[in-house]
Amino acid sequence: MLRYQKHRSYVNLPMLLRVVGWLLMIESLFMVIPLIVAIINPDESFLPFLICIGITGASGGLMTLMKLRSRDMGKREAILLTGFTWVVLSLFGMLPFMLYGTHMSVTDAFFETMSGFTTTGASVLPSLSGVPKSILVWRCVTQWIGGLGIILFTLAVVPMLNTSGGMMLFNAEVTGITHDKLRPRVSYTAKGLWGVYAILTVLLIVLLSFSKMDFYDAFCYGLSTMSTGGFSTDNGGIHDLNSIYVKVVMIIFMFLGGVNFSLIYNTALCKTKGLLKNTALKVYIWFILAGAAIFSLDIIIGSEDVSAIDVTIDPLFQSISLLSSTGLVEPDFHTWGSVSVVLLIIMMLVGACAGSTSGGAKIDRFVILFKFLKNEFYKMMHPGAVTTVSFNGKGTATSVVNKALAFLFMYIIIIVAGGVALSLMGMSLSDGFFCSLMAISNTGLGSEATGVNGDFSLVAPLGKWLLSFIMLVGRLEIFTILLLFTHSFWKK
């Protein structure tokens, strides 16, 4: 098999299309959820969703009938399939937005769908009032699908990929600097991670159902919170509920969404050894607490009349929401002071732990960066010293360190390039940089151009396509997408 991969000069396109076909049929099954919502609500029409299900399912079914020259999948196929899949599922996933309720243009519908699948949470809808519940449910479903990864879900439900480049597909999509399998077969690993993800989501929905929310809101917020996506069901969001219980529950699950799911899986099996030694998790917790403390001080200094909730629950909620890239913002955040705004940008950039549903560059890489810099300063004073970057209680390979540093360098380049490009499309330079950071970190906050909780309908059409691309690059962690634009990738 290895020899065959080495000498094969073509891309196994039929195999790629067959896998995408399976994914489209799975996507059509997920569309049944908003279809049921439309059927239950007498004011809504279920016909558009039937059409979308038919188009998506039939297209997927035709792709699975492709005749295969070989089932073999190499590294090129894995990388190409990952990027191709997210785009194709977004193209079919945007059909409900175009055919029903919102009747969006192709540009707006693709932006909304890509924002959902990448768990960014940015929206072109100026208001959620009057938007059919089935459409709002579909937005949250797309976030939940994309939270842990479309390809990872495929590996869990399509067993044939276990021996057809499954590990390469796993590595191409799952976030992080290293990828460790939990089980010998990659399909078992995918099932384990998705099992944890699904159980936590169900638990969150049940807990939210005990609040002032009805089941519809609990279901939507359960999907968008566990995926750290942040889509809401109304303009006021959870803040209109004025419920401490809801905020505390969401704090817990937003935090879990930012934790490496491999750690959660192992902890559930009472394997806590790795949990206690995980450097990123420790930094993640300290970062949350430090952020909440700074937010609290900023509120106390900048406000005259504050309550205990204002300086405890709200700052902690905001700290976890930003660091996990959920992007739910307190309605009075703009009054918290300039220090809070600076911290907001830092948290968007850093993100939570690798292997989680969160966005950002990931804490793991920044830990490696600062330990690398510490070693470099030490070697300036001790040129003969041999140093290593310690991570999770053991040394890190030079190749891993180099890859982490290269990732952070490319991350900044994309933010700058995106910001400059958006400014050329009519945005101010500061808004352009902020929106570019928002997109690549998959956080979904608006800038002054859209309002903190505003929509992105004011962005130029070309800007929306650019932001959609940056969102995809950020979700698939840069290299998986940018490799497609290199000559060496296509070279025989």
Side-chain angles (χ1 to χ4, degrees), residues 237-280:
I238 64 165
H239 308 292
D240 284 352
L241 294 174
N242 194 26
S243 170
I244 297 176
Y245 171 80
V246 169
K247 286 189 175 181
V248 170
V249 169
M250 292 186 71
I251 282 173
I252 295 171
F253 283 87
M254 284 192 296
F255 170 80
L256 291 175
V259 176
N260 190 319
F261 271 78
S262 296
L263 289 178
I264 299 176
Y265 178 87
N266 286 325
T267 302
L269 298 179
C270 299
K271 300 177 182 179
T272 58
K273 185 177 180 181
L275 182 70
L276 300 175
K277 292 184 177 181
N278 192 272
T279 306

Side-chain angles (χ1 to χ4, degrees), residues 308-354:
I309 301 300
D310 292 334
V311 295
T312 53
I313 301 297
D314 288 351
L316 184 60
F317 179 93
Q318 195 61 77
S319 180
I320 296 178
S321 175
L322 291 172
L323 205 55
S324 66
S325 79
T326 308
L328 296 174
V329 182
E330 290 292 324
D332 58 348
F333 182 82
H334 63 281
T335 66
W336 285 15
S338 56
V339 174
S340 294
V341 175
V342 173
L343 185 56
L344 175 149
I345 294 173
I346 294 173
M347 286 182 160
M348 285 174 62
L349 177 66
V350 175
C353 303

